[in-house]
Amino acid sequence: MTKTSMRWLLTIAGVFLYVGDIWTDIVLAVKYFQEEQYVWTGFTVMFILIGLLVTQIFSYAWYWDDLNDPLLNPEGKKEISDMSKPGLVVLHAFGFGIFTRYYHLLKEGFQVVWTKSNGDGVDKLREVHKKLFCVATDLSMLKLFETFLESAPQLLLQLYILLGHNEVSVMQCLSVAFSFCNIAWSLVDYRRCLRRSLPYIREMPSGLPTAIYLLYKICTITSLILSYSLLLILSIYTTVVLTVLWLLATIWTHLLETKFCSSRSLEFLYRAVAGVILTFTFFNVKGQDTKVAMTTYYIFCTVINIMSPSLMALLKPELQTSTLLLTISGLICGCSVLGLVCLILYYVQLHPRRVQREEDEVDDPGKETKSLARIKNFLKP
């Protein structure tokens, strides 16, 4: 089996995780509503809608950019991927933007992977692969947005309900499992697309480097979400602290003067989304030296991971011998240490080296053609 056919099959797996994540959350919201748990219903539905709304906005904006891009639409057609502008509006208004992109990627990818070429030249095949990669890169970015706007907050919410209110159900466990898997999938898929989109950076190899990178991300995110959940159990006002952290991260992103979007209003939305991502994991929003920023970020995360179980033990002494608290504290400590070890190991030993000396890569490749121009803007000193 070739790499291209494997990627096509993995795309189907990505669709399954995306649908499963949203479906379990919807079923869980219905369950909460039937049990008259209206607060949990509201928050569960809110995270679903925020993730859908933001991804539809960016998806539509990128389709619009493609229509006006002379490289992708040299003939100036009024349709993109066989869809007219009114059709795009309708599809995105009903939340089918990502599904539409998945459909076109799988359809066109199937023709490339599973059907014989009719004597197409090398240039033609290269152009088709470039178009497919453009679609895949868009999807990876949209999935990253959806992951941290829906899956990560949903995971935090359900863990808070499970740990703080002793309410356990099969659907809650399924929701947590799908959210966790969706986060892991999106991070690896996005990282690989990022490295493939930058010509002077070697592609992220499979095997050990990918596994170590995934462990680093998953462990650091898991420890932080568990710490947040303990702080929420201690006081619901932790939500205010999390809001302040999001605001600070958004302001920092704004001060970096990112140039990811084609419009100013969309750029502000992107910076707000980047702020959400930074609440859960480090995200290099602009090409620059990230050693100081990343070190500072993970020192802060380590402080939170030490502080949350310590405060729980001090403020609720009756839980000091609780099996649950000891288990959660052990998970926080173990995931934090393992995540930081994998981070150091990855960047010291396994990080693919640049083909030539350039500034640090960014964590938002945008899209091919216009997005590649954005990357070049990021990389200007």
Side-chain angles (χ1 to χ4, degrees):
M1 183 177 292
T2 64
K3 283 187 177 180
T4 306
S5 58
M6 178 61 72
R7 288 184 185 126
W8 189 85
L9 292 173
L10 290 176
T11 301
I12 295 180
V15 177
F16 171 76
L17 286 176
Y18 176 67
V19 173
D21 188 29
I22 295 179
W23 177 76
T24 53
D25 292 339
I26 291 174
V27 174
L28 192 56
V30 172
K31 176 181 176 295
Y32 286 145
F33 184 80
Q34 292 173 341
E35 295 174 351
E36 299 183 354
Q37 300 278 5
Y38 299 124
V39 175
W40 305 144
T41 303
F43 277 111
T44 303
V45 172
M46 180 184 72
F47 291 136
I48 296 172
L49 293 179
I50 289 175
L52 282 174
L53 177 62
V54 173
T55 52
Q56 301 313 305
I57 291 173
F58 278 105
S59 177
Y60 177 77
W62 293 349
Y63 269 129
W64 187 268
D65 283 347
D66 291 345
L67 274 172
N68 299 314
D69 192 337
L71 294 176
L72 286 175
N73 189 19
E75 299 176 2
K77 296 179 180 179
K78 299 299 182 181
E79 295 182 350
I80 187 76
S81 298
D82 300 323
M83 294 180 293
S84 63
K85 293 181 181 179
L88 284 174
V89 173
V90 172
L91 284 171
H92 287 83
F94 284 94
F96 289 101
I98 289 185
F99 290 109
T100 303
R101 290 177 178 275
Y102 267 124
Y103 168 75
H104 286 291
L105 179 60
L106 289 171
K107 178 184 175 182
E108 296 174 17
F110 181 86
Q111 295 173 353
V112 172
V113 175
W114 305 109
T115 60
K116 294 181 179 180
S117 60
N118 298 320
D120 293 332
V122 176
D123 292 338
K124 178 67 175 179
L125 288 175
R126 186 182 292 114
E127 190 65 29
V128 171
H129 280 275
K130 180 180 178 182
K131 182 180 179 182
L132 286 174
F133 175 66
C134 179
V135 177
T137 304
D138 284 348
L139 262 174
S140 71
M141 194 70 187
L142 291 171
K143 283 291 282 98
L144 187 78
F145 289 173
E146 188 272 340
T147 293
F148 285 98
L149 292 172
E150 195 271 333
S151 300
Q154 203 73 257
L155 181 59
L156 176 58
L157 173 64
Q158 303 312 324
L159 284 175
Y160 166 69
I161 296 172
L162 285 167
L163 300 176
H165 296 268
N166 296 319
E167 296 184 14
V168 183
S169 68
V170 174
M171 284 312 303
Q172 279 178 311
C173 295
L174 283 175
S175 176
V176 168
F178 268 102
S179 294
F180 187 84
C181 292
N182 199 38
I183 291 171
W185 184 273
S186 299
L187 286 169
V188 172
D189 180 58
Y190 173 73
R191 181 70 174 182
R192 294 183 69 86
C193 282
L194 165 66
R195 300 198 67 84
R196 289 179 63 204
S197 67
L198 300 177
Y200 53 83
I201 294 179
R202 292 190 178 93
E203 185 176 347
M204 186 176 182
S206 302
L208 185 61
T210 298
I212 294 297
Y213 178 81
L214 178 60
L215 270 177
Y216 142 56
K217 279 293 186 180
I218 286 299
C219 287
T220 52
I221 291 173
T222 299
S223 62
L224 198 56
I225 288 179
L226 287 173
S227 294
Y228 287 158
S229 63
L230 287 185
L231 293 175
L232 283 169
I233 292 170
L234 277 175
S235 174
I236 197 63
Y237 292 108
T238 300
T239 54
V240 178
V241 177
L242 292 176
T243 303
V244 171
L245 289 177
W246 166 71
L247 284 173
L248 290 174
T250 303
I251 292 171
W252 180 67
T253 305
H254 180 74
L255 293 176
L256 290 176
E257 298 181 352
T258 58
K259 296 178 181 179
F260 178 74
C261 301
S262 56
S263 68
R264 187 170 180 81
S265 57
L266 207 60
E267 188 67 40
F268 283 124
L269 179 60
Y270 163 73
R271 292 169 183 175
V273 173
V276 175
I277 298 174
L278 284 165
T279 307
F280 294 97
T281 188
F282 184 79
F283 183 67
N284 185 8
V285 296
K286 192 171 183 179
Q288 59 183 15
D289 187 358
T290 58
K291 290 180 182 178
V292 175
M294 183 180 285
T295 302
T296 304
Y297 180 88
Y298 282 112
I299 287 175
F300 178 74
C301 289
T302 302
V303 171
I304 292 178
N305 291 337
I306 294 173
M307 182 178 65
S308 58
S310 301
L311 286 176
M312 179 66 79
L314 289 173
L315 299 179
K316 291 193 174 184
E318 68 275 11
L319 296 177
Q320 288 183 4
T321 56
S322 169
T323 303
L324 179 62
L325 178 59
L326 292 175
T327 301
I328 298 301
S329 300
L331 283 173
I332 292 173
C333 179
C335 287
S336 181
V337 172
L338 180 59
L340 293 176
V341 169
C342 288
L343 182 154
I344 295 170
L345 177 62
Y346 175 77
Y347 282 102
V348 172
Q349 296 292 335
L350 303 174
H351 189 55
R353 304 303 176 188
R354 288 166 172 74
V355 177
Q356 61 186 28
R357 178 68 178 174
E358 294 282 354
E359 293 87 352
D360 280 10
E361 66 196 271
V362 298
D363 277 350
D364 45 9
K367 310 181 299 166
E368 275 287 0
T369 60
K370 278 196 172 183
S371 63
L372 206 53
R374 293 192 196 108
I375 297 172
K376 291 177 181 178
N377 286 332
F378 293 153
L379 298 179
K380 288 179 180 178

